Amino acid sequence: MKITSARVIVCSPGRNFVTLKIETDQGLTGIGDATLNGRELAVASYLTEHMIPCLIGKDASQIEDIWQFFYRGAYWRRGPVGMTALAAVDMALWDIKAKAAGMPLYQLLGGRSRSKVMVYGHANGKDIDDTVEAVLRYKEQGYVAIRAQSGVPGLASTYGVSKDKLFYEPADADLPTENLWSTTKYLNHVPKLFAKVRDAVGDDIHLLHDVHHRLTPIEAARLGKELEPFKLFWLEDAVTAELQEGFRLIRQHTTTPLAVGEVFSSIYDCQQLISEQLIDYIRTTLVHGGGITHLRRIAALAELYHVRTGFHGATDLSPVTMGAALHFDSWVPNFGIQEYMRHTEATDEVFPHDYHFNAGFLYCGETPGHGVTIDEKLAAKYPYQRAYLPVNRLEDGTLFNW
Ligand SMILES: O=C(O)C(=O)C[C@H](O)[C@H](O)CO
Ligand SMILES: [Mg+2]
């Protein structure tokens, strides 16, 4: 089955998405997500200029060989732009292979390990009371796992806290917005938030929190320790993870479970974190981690060390990633949880899909392939719009982590 054409579709139905479509001489087509928030056109160009010319004429069924060709063959390995582009190719090829087999993708991976995929929703509010209310609303909708983020007193704006309760869109301007940050104010606030949230929601709901890489290991250790009474499901991205051994310090001090990895692009970013059992959940998902072919290796390594998956699933990961991820989640033995932030109606219309949400769980469909397509005519009505993630500064002006 030869690849006859491949093209990149960039569209912005409420936010930017980059999609790769691969066509074959047998009439089968597949699509993959190539969206890298705030750097979309770099991946689009990497695909168009450097990968697509090499793809034409290759046998679409040789997924592993094509993966190795672009990973080893490029000489310049890893990195978010290259691995996102590779992920799009990989996802599209798995889509084609599953369609050729007449099977939903999870069947090719090894079949179902579970009937439904537990997801967590995003509750956020401007202050503690507002956040508690948002958490209770998620609980009413049937969610069994809820992430809670709240504004911090004394800080004008905080990441993850939007005006809209179901969507939040961090890439909010055509030049980066600047936020201000105070670790002291944040650390004083979060334990108070979770005391109230746990009290309101009861013991049966899983609670999660995202620090967004803003603490040092010893600060994260203190936060983890102070949050222990509230039994979090996980504390996410407590510190930046370029220094993998930094997590040892956090681990020595707290039993609060740790999740990290949404910005990772390969197994080498988490090898030490996993093999030293420094984390409990690996967040890297298909689109930024080289696709299904590479995530299978990460999940298999993680399984050895009692680390479970907790795939990234914010709105900047397109429905294509969500569809493929749900097949992976339905199969992978060491599944933990799946992040779920709803896409806008416009996005859902551009990317028709067969997965659905019901009472706290997502269900992948039974259509052959990963179950997501793209309406190209509709996509063309939403041209690319430059949009950046914000940057974050300390109150004295020092540029800080976002
Ligand atoms: O979903 C999360 O946990 C995030 O931290 C979302 C990120 O801000 C977002 O995906 C960045 O592109
Ligand atoms: Mg996060």
Side-chain angles (χ1 to χ4, degrees), residues 147 159 210 212 236-237 262 283:
R147 178 183 116 158
Y159 145 80
D210 190 351
H212 225 270
E236 174 182 337
D237 289 350
E262 66 182 49
R283 299 256 306 134

Side-chain angles (χ1 to χ4, degrees), residues 15 36-38 120 122 147 159-160 168-171 210 212-213 234 236-237 262-263 283 288 312-317 339 341 389-390 402:
R15 68 149 6 271
L36 186 62
N37 207 2
Y120 67 91
H122 285 229
R147 178 183 116 158
Y159 145 80
Y168 87 81
E169 185 43 78
D210 190 351
H212 225 270
H213 309 115
W234 81 32
E236 174 182 337
D237 289 350
E262 66 182 49
V263 302
R283 299 256 306 134
H288 301 134
H312 188 196
T315 41
D316 49 295
L317 290 80
E339 178 179 11
M341 216 195 288
L389 292 167
W402 191 85

Side-chain angles (χ1 to χ4, degrees), residues 67-261:
W67 197 94
Q68 298 293 342
F69 179 91
F70 285 117
Y71 182 80
R72 292 177 195 283
Y75 187 63
W76 311 108
R77 296 179 186 184
R78 304 158 62 190
V81 173
M83 291 301 274
T84 301
L86 182 48
V89 171
D90 188 76
M91 241 184 263
L93 293 178
W94 277 98
D95 192 23
I96 289 171
K97 192 179 271 300
K99 284 176 182 168
M103 290 178 183
L105 175 60
Y106 70 80
Q107 290 290 9
L108 293 195
L109 296 172
R112 274 190 187 282
S113 299
R114 56 196 58 77
S115 58
K116 55 187 183 177
V117 170
M118 179 170 69
V119 300
Y120 67 91
H122 285 229
N124 57 70
K126 60 180 183 324
D127 54 26
I128 292 182
D129 289 344
D130 211 29
T131 309
V132 169
E133 243 179 66
V135 168
L136 292 176
R137 271 200 303 274
Y138 272 90
K139 186 180 173 186
E140 275 163 26
Q141 291 172 50
Y143 282 84
V144 293
I146 304 165
R147 178 183 116 158
Q149 309 289 132
S150 115
V152 176
L155 292 180
S157 60
T158 309
Y159 145 80
V161 179
S162 68
K163 290 172 202 85
D164 193 303
K165 300 294 177 201
L166 280 179
F167 311 100
Y168 87 81
E169 185 43 78
D172 59 359
D174 74 344
L175 284 175
T177 307
E178 300 214 346
N179 289 333
L180 283 186
W181 178 255
S182 156
T183 299
T184 308
K185 287 173 183 157
Y186 171 76
L187 283 177
N188 286 336
H189 177 68
V190 178
K192 292 178 199 154
L193 167 69
F194 277 92
K196 283 267 178 86
V197 169
R198 179 54 83 200
D199 190 45
V201 86
D203 284 334
D204 294 338
I205 298 290
H206 295 307
L207 292 175
L208 300 82
H209 182 69
D210 190 351
V211 181
H212 225 270
H213 309 115
R214 288 172 176 182
L215 299 176
T216 62
I218 197 67
E219 290 163 352
R222 171 183 144 196
L223 181 61
K225 215 165 157 179
E226 289 184 10
L227 291 177
E228 278 172 23
F230 315 119
K231 301 183 188 65
L232 262 60
F233 185 90
W234 81 32
L235 186 66
E236 174 182 337
D237 289 350
V239 300
T240 59
E242 288 100 333
L243 185 71
Q244 295 187 41
E245 64 260 42
F247 275 69
R248 282 191 200 131
L249 186 59
I250 315 176
R251 252 322 196 220
Q252 282 157 6
H253 291 281
T254 180
T255 56
T256 293
L258 302 173
V260 75

